[in-house]
Amino acid sequence: YAGVLFDGLNGCLFVSEETEKDDLAQMRTIFSEPAAMRPTGVVTFMDYWAFKLISEIRPLGLRIPGDVAVVGFNNTPWTAYAEVTLSSVSIEEHEIARLMVEKLTGDYRAGEKIAVEPRLIVRASSAPNSDLHANPVEQTSVMDELAT
């Protein structure tokens, strides 16, 4: 992994080119560091890796989200049913499918670009409020915030 600086905050960028076994060993090493040296939050590129991360760091005595907040990506169905429900970025696949069918069966112009904004679904893995286990919070989009 490589240390980076984000807007004056210490951060960590972990780039994996190894096997899963090696990646998990690196995760354990990173999160075995003293509290002042380890990340307090992680965003993974897949929900799978978020769950793997949680399974590796909980035996180290770290609390999710108390010590480490974890966010996945893709909002796969099991994120809402885990012991610690997982915050995740939704790619809005239902909206993508709806738009695709609409364009294929209706008015589509060659070269037309369509963007679907992802959405953060906040659950217990990144927010200490235990009510989020049963009632996830769907964040408003950045575009909605800019429009107001």
Side-chain angles (χ1 to χ4, degrees):
Y1 66 98
V4 294
L5 199 63
F6 298 106
D7 295 328
L9 302 173
N10 287 322
C12 177
L13 175 62
F14 178 75
V15 179
S16 173
E17 294 181 2
E18 307 297 326
T19 66
E20 182 172 320
K21 181 180 172 185
D22 294 331
D23 293 340
L24 296 175
Q26 271 193 313
M27 285 182 199
R28 282 189 298 276
T29 300
I30 291 168
F31 287 96
S32 294
E33 295 286 336
M37 299 294 293
R38 69 176 173 253
T40 57
V42 177
V43 177
T44 65
F45 69 97
M46 289 174 51
D47 292 334
Y48 169 81
W49 279 107
F51 284 119
K52 290 300 277 188
L53 173 71
I54 290 169
S55 72
E56 289 298 314
I57 64 177
R58 286 180 90 187
L60 299 173
L62 298 176
R63 296 169 295 130
I64 310 298
D67 298 310
V68 181
V70 179
V71 176
F73 188 88
N74 209 22
N75 196 37
T76 47
W78 58 84
T79 57
Y81 302 104
E83 181 182 347
V84 175
T85 57
L86 181 66
S87 295
S88 187
V89 176
S90 171
I91 62 169
E92 299 296 307
E93 65 273 2
H94 296 293
E95 179 64 6
I96 291 170
R98 185 191 70 73
L99 287 168
M100 182 178 72
V101 169
E102 181 181 294
K103 294 300 177 183
L104 290 173
T105 59
D107 183 30
Y108 174 74
R109 295 179 303 252
E112 180 180 11
K113 294 183 183 185
I114 300 167
V116 175
E117 187 171 335
R119 186 170 39 106
L120 174 63
I121 310 296
V122 178
R123 296 189 180 97
S125 69
S126 66
N129 182 348
S130 62
D131 290 341
L132 291 178
H133 285 282
N135 303 306
V137 176
E138 296 187 13
Q139 299 291 68
T140 57
S141 76
V142 173
M143 298 308 283
D144 290 343
E145 294 297 321
L146 292 174
T148 58

